[in-house]
């Protein structure tokens, strides 16, 4: 599968039916998801690996990982409604994903790789923390998406360092959020996000 094809397939998946602002439910656009997954895949972190997608939403990253040959994918999501959409999306492509309806803090499987697009923490401050903490607990390699802002970058560096992880900003890319929430004034909100790789430092 080519990156372009992956992006197209992912962008055609069904999105949130009834997005909940307090959970920061906006799906990762197909091109951004494909970019993150491709970076992980090119480094050997997807094919044949066990992968967890924390805050899986409608399943974009889980499905992408499976399409790139992940051995097993756990999709962890607290919102039942979103998980139903994710399940449908995977089924439509004939893919097997293990869906787990739980708060990310309750997830306790060790995996090779975490891929995630956690809440950015713009609605609830520090909403990204439990995601990073869980990712650093269950995997040695984590790919994640965060706001490209100086204060966020400083926080990410420090926080990951405190957990013994080295943070590498792989790319900064545009990310489009449809105006689905009342606090959005434009039709399409264009923001900038950093694609990160976190690797556990050897002891
Ligand atoms: N990863 C998806 C969705 C991103 S939106 C994608 O890339 O498209 C963030 C998701 O995290 C939402 O679906 C939201 O419901 C979920 N979420 C927020 N807090 C959570 C928590 N504590 N535990 C599990 N899921 C959570």
């Amino acid at each position: 599968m080519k990156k372009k094809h992956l992006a197209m397939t992912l962008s055609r998946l069904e999105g949130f039916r009834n997005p909940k602002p307090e959970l920061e439910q906006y799906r990762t656009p197909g091109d951004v998801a494909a970019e993150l997954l491709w970076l992980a895949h090119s480094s050997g972190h997807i094919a044949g690996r066990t992968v967890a997608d924390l805050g899986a939403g409608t399943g974009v990253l889980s499905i992408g990982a499976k399409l790139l040959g992940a051995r097993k994918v756990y999709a962890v999501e607290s919102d039942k409604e979103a998980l139903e959409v994710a399940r449908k999306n995977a089924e439509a492509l004939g893919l097997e994903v293990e869906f787990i309806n739980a708060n990310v803090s309750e997830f306790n499987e060790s995996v090779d790789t975490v891929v995630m697009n956690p809440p950015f923490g713009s609605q609830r401050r520090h909403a990204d923390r439990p995601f990073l903490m869980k990712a650093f607990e269950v995997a040695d390699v984590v790919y994640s998406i965060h706001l490209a802002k100086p204060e966020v970058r400083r926080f990410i560096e420090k926080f990951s360092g405190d957990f013994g992880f080295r943070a590498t900003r792989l790319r900064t890319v545009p990310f489009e959020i449809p105006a689905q929430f009342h606090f959005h004034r434009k039709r399409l909100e264009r923001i900038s996000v950093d694609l990160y790789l976190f690797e556990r430092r050897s002891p």
Side-chain angles (χ1 to χ4, degrees):
M1 164 148 328
K2 297 220 173 73
K3 185 163 90 175
K4 238 193 191 155
H5 184 200
L6 179 67
M8 207 182 294
T9 306
L10 296 180
S11 65
R12 286 184 184 144
L13 296 175
E14 192 183 328
F16 292 102
R17 284 176 191 154
N18 172 26
K20 304 177 179 70
E22 71 282 7
L23 292 175
E24 295 193 39
Q25 289 185 329
Y26 25 79
R27 60 184 290 189
T28 307
D31 55 338
V32 178
E35 187 73 33
L36 183 76
L37 289 164
W38 207 261
L39 287 162
H41 182 54
S42 312
S43 299
H45 292 138
I46 302 288
R49 307 288 181 192
T50 304
V51 176
D53 174 7
L54 305 181
T58 54
V60 178
L61 294 172
S62 295
I63 287 167
K66 202 65 203 175
L67 286 170
L68 291 174
R71 186 161 62 80
K72 185 172 177 98
V73 176
Y74 296 101
V76 187
E77 168 61 51
S78 59
D79 181 36
K80 262 208 176 81
E81 240 181 296
L83 211 56
E84 273 317 304
V85 177
R87 209 183 289 277
K88 239 188 84 193
N89 278 332
E91 257 173 37
L93 293 170
L95 299 171
E96 206 174 297
V97 171
E98 179 145 347
F99 295 99
I100 300 178
N101 187 204
N103 191 298
V104 291
S105 316
E106 298 160 27
F107 177 68
N108 279 317
E109 300 284 344
S110 288
V111 294
D112 298 310
T113 310
V114 165
V115 292
M116 62 180 186
N117 179 16
F120 294 140
S122 46
Q123 292 312 304
R124 258 190 308 182
R125 247 173 88 97
H126 306 317
D128 49 349
R129 285 187 189 192
F131 283 76
L132 287 166
M133 283 168 69
K134 181 50 72 176
F136 296 154
E137 190 186 308
V138 298
D140 291 342
V141 176
V142 177
Y143 288 85
S144 184
I145 303 177
H146 300 273
L147 281 182
K149 284 189 175 173
E151 65 272 24
V152 175
R153 287 176 174 172
R154 277 195 299 274
F155 162 72
I156 295 282
E157 291 275 307
K158 167 89 172 64
F159 196 76
S160 54
D162 289 348
F163 282 83
F165 277 72
R166 179 179 41 245
T168 310
R169 276 204 308 274
L170 301 170
R171 297 260 195 294
T172 302
V173 298
F175 185 113
E176 290 182 346
I177 303 179
Q180 56 193 8
F181 301 141
H182 58 88
F183 50 84
H184 288 148
R185 263 158 283 149
K186 293 182 226 137
R187 192 176 61 80
L188 209 62
E189 198 75 40
R190 243 186 224 98
I191 60 172
S192 225
V193 296
D194 291 326
L195 309 185
Y196 277 91
L197 162 63
F198 301 99
E199 294 164 288
R200 194 186 299 278
R201 292 202 183 91
S202 30

